[in-house]
Amino acid sequence: MKYLPAILSTSHSGLNATERAYLAIKRRIIELELEPGAHVTKTDLTHLAGVGAMPVREALTQLQRDGLVQALPRSGYRILPVTLKGARELCAFRQLLETEAAGLAAKLGCPDDDLARMEELLKTTYELGNAESVNAFLRANFEFDTIIANRCGNDMLAQSITRVFDELERILRITLKSLAFSASAARERQAILDAIRERDPAAARRAMEARTRASQVQIIDALISSSSIAEASIRVS
């Protein structure tokens, strides 16, 4: 796969200190080790990233541009919460990108080994409260969609999709605290795979649009209804 979301990337060789600090802090935010709304200091983050103060300062500038942290006057930084507006917009953007990618991948066709791998990934489930199974499920789902993105024949589209996944992962980690595994979601993904296997672009677009729309409803409902995370992790605006 040419483009990978951070959850599937394993090699950080050749990165400079600022890039390592950026990735280390970003992963802690995405994986909710640094919780939404939490207050942190530059010293905290320097210890966490294992680099000097200057690379952390530069990394924080980039994380502010990403909308993940907020500088607080003379008191460190705040991990920005997820907002319902932001979640809705991200899900809608994802739908546009992935629907097009699915249609293109179906038109161009996917190699048999990719199709077999996608079939295998659909078997992954998770248990509420089991962090290891949730991690495996997220990796499987992102890999499934990343295969499609990288087979769409448009590098800019594939890269945009994998960048969206980095933002989406944190939202999913919040919602999966209260959202049980959905067998219907697996069937919706199976429909996507079947359409791509049959080289049917229109069916692939319909299936992906249906899956991403259903995913948005599940995500927003989970964010709204979960009393355990609503006040600490999300804002309405």
Side-chain angles (χ1 to χ4, degrees):
M1 290 179 288
K2 187 171 183 181
Y3 297 104
L4 295 173
I7 191 173
L8 300 179
S9 300
T10 57
S11 176
H12 294 157
S13 60
L15 300 181
N16 61 39
T18 297
E19 292 168 333
R20 292 198 308 273
Y22 170 76
L23 289 176
I25 298 168
K26 183 176 181 179
R27 287 309 301 166
R28 299 311 196 284
I29 294 172
I30 288 174
E31 293 177 3
L32 306 180
E33 183 177 330
L34 294 174
E35 296 183 352
H39 175 270
V40 292
T41 67
K42 195 176 297 180
T43 300
D44 295 333
L45 297 177
T46 299
H47 290 313
L48 182 151
V51 297
M54 182 60 72
V56 167
R57 184 180 300 112
E58 294 171 349
L60 283 165
T61 298
Q62 188 168 349
L63 289 164
Q64 288 179 79
R65 289 198 296 267
D66 291 345
L68 291 173
V69 302
Q70 174 187 26
L72 302 174
R74 297 180 297 280
S75 60
Y77 295 83
R78 176 175 175 249
I79 308 302
L80 284 173
V82 169
T83 69
L84 292 180
K85 179 178 183 293
R88 286 192 184 99
E89 290 180 352
L90 182 63
C91 288
F93 186 47
R94 172 204 186 187
Q95 180 177 315
L96 290 172
L97 297 179
E98 287 211 85
T99 296
E100 180 63 15
L104 291 172
K107 181 179 180 180
L108 293 173
C110 286
D112 288 343
D113 57 345
D114 277 356
L115 296 173
R117 177 59 179 165
M118 292 165 73
E119 194 78 57
E120 184 68 24
L121 291 168
L122 287 178
K123 300 176 183 177
T124 307
T125 63
Y126 68 92
E127 298 177 9
L128 278 178
N130 185 315
E132 185 175 343
S133 71
V134 168
N135 284 336
F137 178 78
L138 284 171
R139 289 180 61 84
N141 274 264
F142 281 124
E143 184 178 348
F144 181 96
D145 285 358
T146 298
I147 291 172
I148 296 172
N150 281 291
R151 290 299 179 184
C152 77
N154 185 316
D155 285 354
M156 186 172 293
L157 178 57
Q159 188 174 33
S160 297
I161 289 170
T162 55
R163 286 176 176 170
V164 165
F165 291 163
D166 286 342
E167 297 183 55
L168 185 63
E169 185 187 344
R170 183 166 74 136
I171 295 173
L172 289 176
R173 286 186 180 276
I174 293 172
T175 60
L176 292 185
K177 288 182 177 182
S178 61
L179 185 63
F181 173 75
S182 170
S184 63
R187 290 193 294 270
E188 289 161 356
R189 286 182 178 275
Q190 184 69 58
I192 297 167
L193 174 56
D194 291 344
I196 292 174
R197 182 183 283 119
E198 294 299 319
R199 304 284 297 271
D200 188 335
R205 286 190 173 92
R206 286 195 301 270
M208 182 62 85
E209 183 177 8
R211 171 64 209 128
T212 51
R213 186 186 303 115
S215 176
Q216 177 174 348
V217 171
Q218 292 170 328
I219 287 169
I220 298 303
D221 285 351
L223 290 176
I224 291 172
S225 64
S226 178
S227 59
S228 64
I229 65 173
E231 293 185 2
S233 301
I234 66 171
R235 291 184 298 153
V236 173
S237 60

